[in-house]
Amino acid sequence: MGTVHPFPVATSQVGFERWELTRIVDLYGRMVAAGMWKDYAIQFSRDGAAFCAFRRSADQPEYRIEKRPALRQRQGMWALIGEDGRVLRRGHELGPILAPIERRLLKLVNE
C-alpha cells in the first residue's frame, strides 16, 4: 500500500462578513441597473479581501474595495482604490468608503 498523507490544513484567510458583502453587492446591483458596471470579482487572501467592480469584463477594475484587518488600528481596514491604483479613500467604517460611489450614482439618477 501507499503512504497516507494528512489532509492539508487550510490557512486562515480574510473574508467579508454577511452584512459587509450585502452592502457592497447592493451597491453593485444599483450600479449595474444604471449601466455603469458589468462584472465583478472577489478575491480572498491571508492579508485581506477585495471586491473589484468592472465597467467591462476585459478592463482593469474601475474600483476596488479592500478590507485589510491588519490596518484596523492604524489607517482603518477599509480602502477604496481607483482604476489607476491610487487610494481614493481609507477609513475604519464601510459606509464612508462607499460614499463617493453612491454620490456618483445619485448624480446619474438626478439627471
Side-chain angles (χ1 to χ4, degrees):
M1 289 220 24
T3 307
V4 177
H5 297 285
F7 191 75
V9 177
T11 58
S12 64
Q13 66 182 18
V14 176
F16 295 109
E17 292 182 24
R18 182 179 299 260
W19 70 269
E20 296 166 345
L21 194 57
T22 300
R23 180 99 189 254
I24 293 169
V25 171
D26 177 56
L27 175 61
Y28 171 76
R30 289 184 283 146
M31 293 296 279
V32 167
M36 298 292 294
W37 291 346
K38 303 281 189 237
D39 201 6
Y40 74 93
I42 299 178
Q43 175 185 348
F44 301 109
S45 69
R46 290 184 328 129
D47 301 330
F51 182 95
C52 304
F54 297 86
R55 274 181 263 172
R56 289 176 293 282
S57 298
D59 284 348
Q60 293 283 355
E62 183 175 7
Y63 289 108
R64 195 168 72 231
I65 301 162
E66 287 191 353
K67 177 183 179 181
R68 296 199 177 271
L71 299 176
R72 176 181 284 131
Q73 298 300 322
R74 287 178 268 175
Q75 307 160 2
M77 71 176 171
W78 292 101
L80 178 65
I81 300 171
E83 190 171 9
D84 56 356
R86 288 183 302 139
V87 176
L88 303 175
R89 191 156 276 196
R90 184 176 292 281
H92 295 282
E93 296 181 18
L94 181 58
I97 300 302
L98 299 178
I101 304 171
E102 290 176 338
R103 209 170 308 126
R104 185 172 158 204
L105 184 61
L106 288 174
K107 288 179 184 177
L108 289 173
V109 172
N110 288 335
E111 292 179 356

